[in-house]
Amino acid sequence: MTIQAIAASSGVQPGTTAPKPAQTMDSSMFMSLLVTQLKNQDPSAPMDTNQMMSQTVQLSMMEKMTELTTDAKESFSLQMRSAAAQIIGHNVSYALADGTKGSGVASSVSFAAGTPTVAVGGVNVPLDSISGMTATSSPAA
């Protein structure tokens, strides 16, 4: 008699790795867990109201922290854009990630990428690569 091995069907091809599950917790996940907990509780020993209030407070705190994080990111983005726009017309010096160094007058700013890029003498320089800035000298009248 021949016995064949039974393999667990995971839907993952041999030699590949399974995708990692998302590790995010949001309010809908929290509420789903709370509802499941309430559905499956023992009627003779219901959930402690203090514990339920504690979990509700934790949910509220998590939502507020998420809002604060979002607001902080938006504020930082606005500050970067404002700083990049103020560089136009000034002499700047920069050092790129590949070691290239240079300087010149900032002529324009692009906000297309996550970090604003400043055009300096035909080179697009990320704002965080600019190491110095001086005012352009105006000719004497």
Side-chain angles (χ1 to χ4, degrees), residues 26 38-39 45 70 79 92 115:
D26 57 2
L38 290 172
K39 282 182 183 178
T70 301
Q79 287 175 349
V92 296
T115 301

Side-chain angles (χ1 to χ4, degrees), residues 22-63:
Q23 295 293 322
T24 59
M25 291 195 60
D26 57 2
S27 59
S28 63
M29 181 180 178
F30 180 85
M31 290 304 289
S32 175
L33 287 171
L34 183 61
V35 168
T36 302
Q37 186 176 9
L38 290 172
K39 282 182 183 178
N40 296 315
Q41 72 179 346
D42 181 7
S44 64
M47 177 189 277
D48 181 21
T49 55
N50 290 334
Q51 185 180 12
M52 183 181 287
M53 289 302 295
S54 173
Q55 290 177 359
T56 305
V57 168
Q58 287 175 354
L59 170 64
S60 177
M61 288 175 56
M62 179 188 70
E63 288 176 340

Side-chain angles (χ1 to χ4, degrees), residues 102-126:
S103 63
V105 176
S107 58
S108 66
V109 177
S110 171
F111 301 115
T115 301
T117 55
V118 180
V120 181
V123 178
N124 289 329
V125 180

